[in-house]
DNA sequence: ATGACACACGTTATATCGTTACGCAATGTG
DNA sequence: CACATTGCGTAACGATATAACGTGTGTCAT
């Protein structure tokens, strides 16, 4: 490993395949759903998927949705080559009907959370913010 | 059962036992950890725990921590008899070292999240906000 | 009372999600 | 070359959650 590996170009074969599966998916995929989609490309067992996901999440190309036990490709504009955006203080808006996920990077929210932690003397490492409900289309 | 069932007094035997296990625990417990603690009180299988948890979460006596796949008793002052506080827009601060969980009910944060949803024309149903890191004691 | 229903419960099995452990091949370094 | 590192494949296992079915018990209208 030389320097910081962040770009899509630095991905290994498996990582690229998993990222591809998530990128072309319409919504979040569970690890096993990814596995199923990649079976005819040689994937056979969970560790192959989880290892790739671990790296992809680490570099910020993929996010994990805790409330869904699933993963999505980052939708940040030029994220496909950039490291972790901001400080990983991302909010996700998840439609419970159509599974559409919107990724939100709101600095006011980030400030708010930072403040909350600060008040408690808490050394913030990672935040999970997931809003569930119905998107405009589905609640119409 | 008549009217709205919210108080601890309205709980069934199993629900009361699960709530008791969570209340006396120092930190969050997984469903299986609860099961283990209740084995000598007659619990034998996961559904008994999950069914009780479902109800307890529904009435707000227990919260689920998505990022931990675990559950905590509500720490709201008089929650032991009251229904869902606010609109379930609770933030949890979770220490990754000592597992201590702090439950926070911040109206500014709630407004913030409500606003975020509003901007997206999103019908908010439930929010998950979990802050992970090190508590004051553990980061010292 | 008797049947219909709802509810809590017990039990078995199964589904879904995630990790450990082991071995091997390719690569890079002294 | 010896040696460490990295990515990968595979088998087995562990952890989390639900489905499906049956039983008893109370309530209530007939
Ligand atoms: Zn992103
Ligand atoms: Zn939708
Ligand atoms: Zn609470
Ligand atoms: Zn701590």
């Amino acid at each position: 490993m030389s320097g910081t590996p962040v770009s899509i170009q630095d991905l290994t074969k498996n990582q690229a395949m998993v990222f591809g599966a998530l990128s072309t998916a319409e919504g979040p995929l569970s690890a096993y759903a990814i596995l199923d989609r990649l079976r005819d490309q040689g994937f056979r067992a969970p560790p192959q998927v989880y290892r790739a996901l671990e790296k992809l999440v680490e570099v910020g190309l993929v996010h994990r949705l805790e409330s869904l036990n699933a993963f999505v490709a980052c939708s940040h504009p030029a994220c496909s080559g950039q490291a972790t955006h901001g400080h990983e203080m991302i909010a996700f808006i998840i439609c419970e009907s159509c599974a559409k996920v919107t990724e939100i990077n709101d600095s006011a929210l980030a400030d708010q959370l930072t403040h909350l932690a600060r008040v408690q003397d808490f050394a913030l490492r990672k935040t999970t913010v997931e809003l569930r409900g119905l998107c405009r289309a589905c609640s119409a």
Side-chain angles (χ1 to χ4, degrees), chain A:
Chain A
M1 204 189 291
S2 59
T4 331
V6 232
S7 163
I8 265 190
Q9 311 295 345
D10 293 327
L11 298 179
T12 68
K13 190 159 166 284
N14 282 4
Q15 287 158 14
M17 284 195 284
V18 168
F19 184 65
L22 282 172
S23 297
T24 62
E26 301 176 13
L29 295 179
S30 74
Y32 277 71
I34 294 169
L35 177 56
D36 285 342
R37 293 190 177 210
L38 294 178
R39 275 200 204 277
D40 48 5
Q41 290 164 67
F43 274 56
R44 317 241 82 222
Q48 299 174 272
V49 176
Y50 281 106
R51 287 198 281 236
L53 284 172
E54 182 180 18
K55 177 71 169 204
L56 290 166
V57 167
E58 182 190 330
V59 304
L61 284 172
V62 164
H63 303 298
R64 178 186 180 119
L65 301 175
E66 303 285 358
S67 68
L68 247 38
N69 289 338
F71 303 83
V72 281
C74 176
S75 65
H76 206 67
C79 200
S80 314
Q82 221 32 46
T84 300
H85 23 172
H87 262 95
E88 281 294 1
M89 313 247 299
I90 312 164
F92 296 94
I93 297 187
I94 304 168
C95 179
E96 291 178 333
S97 168
C98 69
K100 186 164 92 79
V101 174
T102 306
E103 186 178 334
I104 295 198
N105 225 305
D106 184 81
S107 69
L109 174 62
D111 290 350
Q112 188 59 248
L113 297 179
T114 303
H115 175 71
L116 267 184
R118 188 153 194 66
V119 164
Q120 306 272 335
D121 258 324
F122 189 79
L124 198 50
R125 233 201 248 302
K126 186 200 183 236
T127 66
T128 298
V129 179
E130 298 178 13
L131 278 43
R132 319 217 5 197
L134 296 176
C135 74
R136 174 174 35 215
C138 289
S139 62

